[in-house]
Amino acid sequence: MLRAVFVRFPKAAQIHQTQTQIIMRLGLSSRGGTVAAAACVAASVDAFVGPAGNLYRNPGHSNVVRAISTHSTSSSGSGVGPAWSQLFSAAVEVDESSSSAAGKPQAGVAFGTGIVVARGEVVHFTPAPSDSQIVGSVAAIRLRDEDVLPPGTTVEDMGSKPGVFGAKVEEEGVIDADDAAPKKTFTKTGGAGTSASGQSEDFVGRTVTFPSGRSGVVIAERPPIAFVMCDFSTLEEAGGVDAEKDASVAMMGNMAQISVSETMVGKVVDYHGQIMDFIGESIEKDTTSYDGEEISKKATFAPIPKVGDIALINSPMLTGKAMIDALAPLGKGQNTLLVGAGKSETRGIAIDALAAQVELAKANDKEGVKCVYALTASDPAEKADVLKRVQESGISDSIIIVAARGDESSDTDEASEIRSAAEAVSVAAAACAIGEAHALALGRDALVIIDSIDQHKEFWDWTTRVLVDVYGVDAVVKDDRDGGASSEMRGFFSALIQRAGQFNKKRGGGSVTLVMMRSLVGRGQEGADPESEETVFTPEDFAGASEKVKERIAILTKKNIPLTPTNLKKIQIPVPVANDSEHKRRLELQHVDDLISMSDGQCWLDESLASAGQRPSLDPQRSITRIGIGADTMSRADAPAMRNLVGGLRFELAQAAALEGAGEGSGADRQIRRRDSWMLAMQQDIGEIRSLSENAVVLLAASIGALDEVVRAGGKAGTTDGTEAIQKLLEDVKATVPDAIEEIDRTLDLTDEVKDKLEVAINKHYET
């Protein structure tokens, strides 16, 4: 007799006193080991095959079957994996006569881990590296159009299509529309239309069951192909799925979920929520239990918040960096991009923002903002760097890190890169789900850092190649082929970006603030910079340009005007791509522009400013928040105190930049010195965070000209004299007017009365 491994609880009509069925489920895992689920079978069988392929006998045929799961010995030597194991059981009386005579599942009977809403076959499979400890692979599943359930499908219709059994049936014999996947019109271009009812179905986040019983979750969909992150490493573990043999893979109706608990704090977890490491110094390193009270279960790939569930963004998420809080403020419930060449400074700023939340909570003796850090890279060097930074910042006991499971630093083949990219997508989604659980279940504010979304683009480009391999080059739109932004790609990224939100009181009043890091190839990293002013192009460099461009180049050449990047830009002629590195950089810049159009703001770190010693190297002209823009909106991302101090700062900095090089005595030197005073006030190295009141003091000092003499004497931003001047100013003002400092931090505002007190204290400091 064959039994489904996972079955629903029996209905009342099925229960009587003839047989006892004990259903047990045991989830065991180990660090770097396997993850297995125990079998649940009826008591009448003599033996069953375990998840590792081992045969287990029913001891004494005593109506009790043991649930057995194999696992690797953990590093602690306990023989049991991290504190994720859960055991629960239920004993009921089952009427076996109510099951199907032929062993066919009937309508209304649960199958696998949920309701089967579609079926398909594997058309591409990327296994885990054979010499790696990684568990996981990526599969592309082509959904069969005829096996996608439309709403209104009847029991009779289901009987003729074995691929669609298992859906819930209403009393009148029609499948419940909430459980059925609307039928799509699949096209060779990878697009999907909607059914006649106008409904559409998104399979992202749904679980997938393979013939062997192994599972996965859909992490992207480009109809008719779903891309699945699998919890096994080889195609053989899936049951030897072969598209040509038409072996069936089942798309289930339920969403993959992550169980969120306070036990996660101070630990590193994977995208399933399983504990991989401990980072908190005060965290008990118990790998044998997972006893934290569950906050909630949340879909890993949850849909973005509905309009009716969100409220206006009207409260600041202070980052501890004066320049960011002044020029590109972050509001609670906002999403923003953190863009820069490399990851060192962006990563430092992100961790400092988390540290600012922890410090703020300690100062106010409150729970504060829940901090979640998603590390998508599988390189152990990057993991070590993040863990070191977190520990040095003193927030190990207050943060949840979601990280990739694999170690692929030595693997450079495409298969390893794709598997790593797929897990990166899953890690980012899981981090958002953890933040959402705290926001919706507890009404708390959560700050989620995604480090980084670089691999999301790599994964999307791979899905494009799969579509081309399966259907030909005409299967994708030109934008995707050229690395641009199609509507499908925008939907893929928006599903992550738009998970941020300030929830209204009806939904608990919490928020999820999302900061996504995006790194760029630095200029000159892999060759000469074609936009350097030392570069002079020749007419031959424009051989592939349009005739109009060639005519303009001929005019410049005839007038002996050098073909430098500056001159070309003045007449809007594209600068030729000199090497592959610059071509890659331009594609990345194009992609970042696409991401900017979907986001609420961005902080852009400029490598030339970083080279000049500015910290943070924020470009004031390219960094902005779009929250609160417009005269008719009540939404704001900045603190009122900041708003009162830096209203015209961006314009003032732009004016000074335009006057750069004018020299002493030109009339511009005073304005440039004033710019330098602002930059001194906002200079903060990595690891240096300030409270709102401290930032208010230094910005006020710059605005009233109190720092001009410091700058004139050589105490500019980044110098020892400048740093010491700011430190002494803060110490003196905090000691002189502590009540004013406390009021700013408590109210987030700067009243006229408090402002007057601060001005008096600042002027007195420099008089003495």
Side-chain angles (χ1 to χ4, degrees):
M1 170 183 173
L2 296 176
R3 287 286 289 168
V5 173
F6 293 89
V7 297
R8 283 184 181 175
F9 290 112
K11 298 178 180 179
Q14 295 177 298
I15 299 175
H16 66 68
Q17 300 295 323
T18 58
Q19 288 185 328
T20 298
Q21 179 186 32
I22 297 181
I23 302 175
M24 302 177 70
R25 175 181 171 186
L26 176 62
L28 293 174
S29 65
S30 63
R31 293 154 83 171
T34 60
V35 179
C40 302
V41 295
S44 57
V45 299
D46 292 320
F48 67 97
V49 178
N54 300 320
L55 184 66
Y56 298 100
R57 292 184 56 80
N58 181 348
H61 203 275
S62 59
N63 292 335
V64 177
V65 176
R66 294 177 180 174
I68 303 175
S69 176
T70 59
H71 58 86
S72 299
T73 301
S74 70
S75 59
S76 65
S78 64
V80 183
W84 176 247
S85 304
Q86 295 179 345
L87 175 65
F88 59 92
S89 62
V92 295
E93 304 293 330
V94 179
D95 182 358
E96 290 292 330
S97 64
S98 65
S99 61
S100 170
K104 288 185 178 181
Q106 300 297 305
V109 179
F111 178 78
T113 56
I115 301 163
V116 179
V117 295
R119 287 191 177 275
E121 54 270 347
V122 176
V123 294
H124 186 96
F125 189 84
T126 300
S130 58
D131 59 345
S132 172
Q133 296 296 320
I134 300 169
V135 177
S137 54
V138 188
I141 311 298
R142 178 168 53 201
L143 301 179
R144 296 196 290 258
D145 188 27
E146 66 273 14
D147 282 346
V148 178
L149 253 63
T153 301
T154 64
V155 178
E156 288 75 17
D157 292 336
M158 289 169 57
S160 63
K161 296 178 180 179
V164 298
F165 61 73
K168 185 169 68 178
V169 179
E170 296 174 344
E171 292 183 1
E172 55 271 15
V174 178
I175 296 173
D176 188 343
D178 290 337
D179 285 344
K183 189 156 185 161
K184 294 183 177 182
T185 303
F186 295 139
T187 68
K188 71 174 183 178
T189 59
T194 56
S195 64
S197 65
Q199 298 178 344
S200 62
E201 175 70 8
D202 186 2
F203 289 132
V204 174
R206 293 187 185 272
T207 57
V208 174
T209 301
F210 292 83
S212 66
R214 304 304 290 266
S215 63
V217 58
V218 179
I219 61 175
E221 183 188 10
R222 303 187 69 175
I225 294 182
F227 298 89
V228 179
M229 184 71 200
C230 308
D231 286 330
F232 51 88
S233 300
T234 66
L235 192 58
E236 288 70 23
E237 293 178 84
V241 183
D242 190 330
E244 295 181 358
K245 295 179 181 178
D246 201 33
S248 187
V249 179
M251 181 78 67
M252 315 310 291
N254 61 312
M255 302 286 284
Q257 294 182 322
I258 182 171
S259 179
V260 181
S261 166
E262 283 293 346
T263 310
M264 291 178 168
V265 178
K267 299 182 179 71
V268 181
V269 302
D270 66 9
Y271 67 88
H272 290 302
Q274 296 176 333
I275 298 169
M276 299 192 297
D277 202 354
F278 299 82
I279 55 174
E281 295 180 1
S282 64
I283 302 299
E284 183 179 354
K285 294 175 173 56
D286 178 7
T287 61
T288 63
S289 64
Y290 197 87
D291 300 327
E293 182 178 352
E294 182 180 86
I295 294 171
S296 73
K297 283 188 172 67
K298 187 67 180 173
T300 305
F301 290 85
I304 64 176
K306 298 178 181 178
V307 174
D309 293 336
I310 58 177
L312 289 176
I313 294 172
N314 215 6
S315 181
M317 178 73 72
L318 298 171
T319 66
K321 301 292 185 184
M323 194 177 298
I324 294 176
D325 292 340
L327 296 172
L330 184 62
K332 291 181 179 178
Q334 177 184 338
N335 63 67
T336 196
L337 297 169
L338 185 53
V339 183
K343 294 182 179 180
S344 179
E345 188 179 6
T346 53
R347 184 170 287 163
I349 289 174
I351 292 176
D352 281 353
L354 296 176
Q357 311 315 312
V358 175
E359 289 298 319
L360 190 60
K362 290 179 180 178
N364 296 327
D365 195 23
K366 294 181 179 179
E367 285 186 317
V369 174
K370 178 57 64 177
C371 298
V372 185
Y373 194 98
L375 177 59
T376 62
S378 57
D379 185 345
E382 292 205 41
K383 291 181 182 178
D385 179 54
V386 169
L387 293 180
K388 180 182 178 182
R389 289 172 183 259
V390 167
Q391 290 164 351
E392 289 177 347
S393 66
I395 61 173
S396 300
D397 292 340
S398 308
I399 187 176
I400 301 170
I401 295 181
V402 188
R405 296 173 296 184
D407 172 4
E408 301 186 5
S409 59
S410 60
D411 298 308
T412 57
D413 63 307
E414 184 184 23
S416 297
E417 292 174 356
I418 296 309
R419 202 218 67 84
S420 180
E423 188 168 10
V425 174
S426 304
V427 165
C432 290
I434 293 172
E436 289 164 351
H438 285 87
L440 293 170
L442 301 180
R444 292 183 63 179
D445 298 314
L447 175 57
V448 180
I449 306 291
I450 307 296
D451 175 9
S452 65
I453 59 171
D454 297 356
Q455 290 177 290
H456 283 64
K457 184 61 165 62
E458 295 176 15
F459 183 76
W460 182 260
D461 291 342
W462 173 75
T463 67
T464 298
R465 295 196 296 272
V466 170
L467 286 175
V468 171
D469 289 343
V470 175
Y471 296 107
V473 71
D474 293 333
V476 294
V477 297
K478 185 176 184 299
D479 283 341
D480 271 333
R481 293 200 303 269
D482 297 342
S486 65
S487 59
E488 272 192 303
M489 193 204 79
R490 292 179 66 86
F492 173 70
F493 280 94
S494 291
L496 172 65
I497 294 172
Q498 299 303 326
R499 288 182 74 167
Q502 170 66 62
F503 294 98
N504 56 30
K505 291 183 179 179
K506 180 182 67 176
R507 297 289 285 157
S511 68
V512 176
T513 306
L514 188 58
V515 177
M516 296 156 290
M517 293 166 51
R518 181 66 170 90
S519 57
L520 298 173
V521 173
R523 290 175 178 168
Q525 284 185 4
E526 298 179 17
D529 178 10
E531 295 194 19
S532 168
E533 286 309 307
E534 297 178 358
T535 303
V536 179
F537 297 100
T538 65
E540 288 73 22
D541 292 322
F542 301 87
S546 65
E547 292 301 321
K548 186 175 181 180
V549 168
K550 290 179 180 178
E551 290 174 5
R552 292 183 178 182
I553 293 298
I555 294 173
L556 293 176
T557 304
K558 186 176 181 179
K559 294 184 177 182
N560 294 320
I561 297 176
L563 303 179
T564 63
T566 298
N567 292 335
L568 294 172
K569 289 177 180 178
K570 286 179 179 178
I571 56 175
Q572 298 181 344
I573 294 179
V575 179
V577 176
N579 52 47
D580 292 340
S581 175
E582 187 61 23
H583 178 68
K584 180 179 179 181
R585 178 181 171 84
R586 291 190 183 184
L587 287 177
E588 288 180 347
L589 289 172
Q590 176 184 338
H591 177 56
V592 170
D593 284 341
D594 295 330
L595 295 175
I596 286 173
S597 69
M598 306 177 216
S599 65
D600 297 331
Q602 72 274 355
C603 294
W604 194 294
L605 307 182
D606 186 272
E607 55 191 316
S608 61
L609 296 176
S611 299
Q614 179 181 311
R615 295 292 185 278
S617 59
L618 191 80
D619 185 338
Q621 306 310 316
R622 304 178 79 173
S623 303
I624 195 173
T625 180
R626 283 172 281 281
I627 301 297
I629 293 180
D632 59 343
T633 180
M634 299 296 293
S635 185
R636 293 298 296 241
D638 53 352
M642 282 291 182
R643 200 176 311 159
N644 294 337
L645 288 170
V646 297
L649 177 57
R650 192 185 305 275
F651 177 72
E652 193 170 336
L653 294 177
Q655 264 193 331
L659 296 172
E660 191 73 52
E664 293 287 337
S666 65
D669 53 321
R670 181 178 178 277
Q671 194 163 357
I672 292 174
R673 186 164 55 251
R674 189 66 174 276
R675 185 274 312 272
D676 291 342
S677 295
W678 283 112
M679 299 311 295
L680 172 60
M682 296 186 290
Q683 179 82 2
Q684 290 172 268
D685 282 324
I686 297 301
E688 182 184 353
I689 58 176
R690 298 187 194 138
S691 65
L692 176 62
S693 60
E694 290 174 328
N695 282 331
V697 169
V698 295
L699 291 171
L700 179 59
S703 69
I704 64 177
L707 298 180
D708 289 0
E709 288 304 315
V710 176
V711 171
R712 189 196 297 273
K716 293 186 178 182
T719 65
T720 301
D721 289 344
T723 301
E724 290 179 352
I726 293 297
Q727 289 175 344
K728 290 178 180 179
L729 172 64
L730 288 173
E731 290 172 1
D732 194 9
V733 172
K734 287 193 290 184
T736 304
V737 285
D739 56 333
I741 296 295
E742 187 276 333
E743 183 173 336
I744 294 173
D745 288 329
R746 178 173 50 84
T747 65
L748 307 183
D749 203 355
L750 180 64
T751 63
D752 290 340
E753 181 182 355
V754 170
K755 187 175 181 181
D756 290 342
K757 288 182 179 180
L758 292 181
E759 284 192 26
V760 171
I762 291 170
N763 290 327
K764 183 179 179 181
H765 170 76
Y766 285 107
E767 287 173 0
T768 58

